[in-house]
Amino acid sequence: MHLHRYEKIWLTFGIGSLVIFLTVLGVSAFAFGQQPPSHMAKVDPQNVRDAAPFDEPGLRQINETTYQANIIAMAFTYQPNKIEVPVGSTVRFHVTSSDVVHSFTIPNTNVNFMVTPGHINMAEHTFTEAGSYLVLCNEYCGTGHHYMQMTIEVVE
Amino acid sequence: MAKNNSNLEPNRNHVPTETNSSSLKGTLIFTMSIGLFIVLSWSAIFFLFLNRM
Amino acid sequence: MRNSALKVEDYNSNIGTTVAPKDAKLSMAHIYIAFSAFLVGAIAGLLQGLVRGGMIELPNWLGYYQILTAHGVLLALVFTTYFIFAFLFAGMSRTHGAFSDRLRKLGWTGFTVLTIGTLLAAILIILNEASVLYTFYAPLTAHPLYYVGLTLFVVGSWISGATLLGHYFGWKKAHKGERTPLFGYMTVATIVLWIIACLGVAVLVLLQMIPWAFGLTDEINVLLSRTLFWYFGHPLVYFWLLPAYIAWYVSIPKIIGGKLFSDSLARMAFVLFLLFSIPVGFHHQLMESGISEMWKFIQTVLTFVVIVPSLMTAFSIFGTFEQTGRAKGGTGILYWLHKLPWKDVRFFAPFMGMIIFIPAGAGGIINASFQMNAVIHNTLWVVGHFHLTVGSTVLLTFFGISYWLIPHLTGRKFTPFLNRLGMVQTWLWAIGMFFMSGAMHLIGLLGAPRRTAYTTYQNHPDALVWFEGIFTNYVTIAIGGVILFVAAVMMFYNFIYMTWLAPKGDTEFPISEPAEDASETPKVFENWKLWIGIAIVLILFAYTIPIYDMIVNAPPGSPTFDFLIK
Ligand code: HEM
Ligand SMILES: [Cu+2]
Ligand SMILES: [Cu+2]
């Protein structure tokens, strides 16, 4: 089998770019912790409210600037439906589902993860600007899917 | 059918058998521009990702 | 005319290498269903675009998610699968001789089972008992018969696949020691890929969904079901793409009056697709809990490997164009491009598909990029992406194939009139996609979700921007959708014209003669046992440990949720 010289140049460039992409992604994930949301914790999806932390859904302060938000996604809303944090806060979202698959998505941020029943997923975000942030579900979950939303109020 | 078949039995004798470099210059340019496009668009979204951290 | 390849009138010629008439019937049966599904699917697509833009409201007997299910099933599953089998049956008959009566009967059996499955699924979608979208993620639950319909669909496709493989083995036996024609080689790779891929969905539907939907089991392992789905779902997209590549490698060189650039590289690309397009399903589950970062990353790396054969294809196909252009006297670095048959829709439609594959492929690399997936996951970006890949690259190539396949099968002529219609159709499709898919990509970056009916999220400012941009606007999507719909209706008319109205005559089924280097192609490429063996090893490597973990450390399962879809 014979590769044309130009094809060698092209494949070297192409494969080289792919290797660079993978290296950048791998280093930023495994060395700098920018991992995709892959939380391994599990719950009983038919009894999510029986055990901590989802027996008391809501916001909990962890330290001066860090909060943990325990949220239950369900058709077709989130519980709680609204949370409020001061600007500059880092919020760690722990979300599970009490019925079907949903997502927890904040447009214009990297918080965009799947919420599968039986599992807890999580992501963290620092809110550096005040305002009202929309949270929506972008995984089809039934006839009322497009009504599923909540808000995060980031206040001065 | 005794029709003119020129493009059905296409240029059997004209197709060059050698693959000298000059004959694929356009292909190299074309593929490398694809590569450039891929690198640029990937980088744009990667920076968007970093911006949104 | 300067360029002989431009003369549409001359395509009509009987060169003694045709699809056997009885095989043509089987192939045409697939074509009828493919294009009927296409028309209905396109109507659904039009409605979706208009609904999302807030321009119309559906009557209350028709649900948004119901038509979205129909759209996905009819276009992504029914149209593609039927068209692919039409093309492969015809092509195998053309290149490997007529099917034996026994095999053809098997082919009709496959068609029948496939069609019963399709009808069953269609009925349940119409009854609004199956609005679970074409991905039917658990634990949303459709009517149990919907899953039976899907099972029959897969079984039918296996029977049809077995028919094609049987024909190949028969040919092999009769031609000991000969190299399989490229069309047959690529068909085998495609079918083998399909069969291995469907194992995932077979296990999913037979062992998980059907017992659960019928109430024989109480609970389902949701993560496992999603993983099995995507074990199937990614190779599914290659099952759409590979037949388009077959046309690029085997038919396009002939249409432009040239010859494929390299036989061995073409076969190598297909081997790489077979090996690397399956152990990569986690790239659809990057944002999901319960799968560790390491396994996600391993499958991300494997995903990047399967980009390589497409890089090779870009070079091979463009190299073929350049060599042909130069052989016809073209000169300069790019001036030879003038020698290509730009006014011939059989070339131009697939060519447009190839060009669209550049942004489509670049987008795919972005989608697969591990943590970066968070930027686009389940946003309209993704919908924009696959309307470029399958909705444009694959579809435009299939349209390009139709212009000679259908008249060839029906014994009619490919006329200059049809060619003109086709050229307009191609441009309309490309322009419509530019608006629809372009706007979907950008609006997706602004967070607009996919699979979501009209909503402004209680007039939340983050959502209102999707209705206010100049280009990044739901209205742009709707306008693109209208243009696409016009193009779709035109294509449907072309199908009618080619089937019943065009003047009687002959149209060639273009198959390129072997490339210069075909005689040197290493024999190992046809060692299917070897490739299937390696494919299985890669699959086991990528999936065994994570799936074991999903089963052994599973959380309690989920019951059915059928009330949520009604
Ligand atoms: C008339 C042309 C078309 C129009 C106007 C159109 C429009 C749309 C729209 C607006 C959506 C997004 C709906 C949503 O996410 O809420 C969609 C989804 C989709 N389209 Fe198309 N489309 C067209 C052709 C095609 C073709 C040719 C294919 C494939 C062969 C295709 C495959 C799909 C698939 C698989 C989905 C996703 C369904 C799902 O999310 O379950 N479409 N289409
Ligand atoms: Cu939802
Ligand atoms: Cu994929």
Side-chain angles (χ1 to χ4, degrees), chain C residues 101-119:
Chain C
D101 286 345
R102 222 187 38 158
L103 271 181
R104 194 179 311 106
K105 214 173 253 164
L106 193 63
W108 279 108
T109 311
F111 172 81
T112 310
V113 176
L114 194 65
T115 305
I116 295 173
T118 305
L119 289 177

Side-chain angles (χ1 to χ4, degrees), chain A residues 31 39 44 47-48 66 75 91 107 114 125:
Chain A
H39 202 46
D44 178 351
N47 302 292
V48 292
T66 312
V91 184
M114 305 300 296
H125 187 73

Side-chain angles (χ1 to χ4, degrees), chain A residues 89-135:
Chain A
S89 309
T90 299
V91 184
R92 223 172 271 158
F93 300 98
H94 285 239
V95 190
T96 193
S97 164
S98 60
D99 44 47
V100 295
V101 182
H102 301 280
S103 93
F104 187 88
T105 302
I106 311 176
N108 308 312
T109 72
N110 290 333
V111 178
N112 178 14
F113 56 81
M114 305 300 296
V115 184
T116 28
H119 296 262
I120 302 170
N121 211 352
M122 62 168 290
E124 198 177 272
H125 187 73
T126 304
F127 293 89
T128 52
E129 272 174 53
S132 160
Y133 288 74
L134 173 66
V135 178

Side-chain angles (χ1 to χ4, degrees), chain A residues 102 137 139-141 145 148:
Chain A
H102 301 280
C137 170
E139 180 64 270
Y140 172 62
C141 52
H145 162 61
M148 186 160 167

Side-chain angles (χ1 to χ4, degrees), chain C residues 466-488:
Chain C
W466 308 326
F467 294 87
E468 288 162 355
I470 295 177
F471 186 78
T472 53
N473 194 314
Y474 273 124
V475 176
T476 319
I477 294 176
I479 291 172
V482 171
I483 300 173
L484 274 169
F485 180 70
V486 172

Side-chain angles (χ1 to χ4, degrees), chain C residues 38 42 45-46 48-49 52 64 68 71-72 75-76 80 133-134 380 383 386-387 390-391 395 429 433 436 440 450-452 477 481 484-485 488:
Chain C
F38 174 72
L46 172 72
Q48 286 152 216
R52 291 199 64 147
Y64 181 79
L68 186 57
H71 182 75
L75 289 169
T80 50
L133 308 185
Y134 81 113
L380 272 178
V383 185
F386 60 67
H387 280 91
V390 63
L395 267 268
W429 195 270
M433 270 307 165
M436 184 173 96
M440 281 173 164
R450 69 180 287 199
R451 305 183 142 176
T452 302
I477 294 176
L484 274 169
F485 180 70

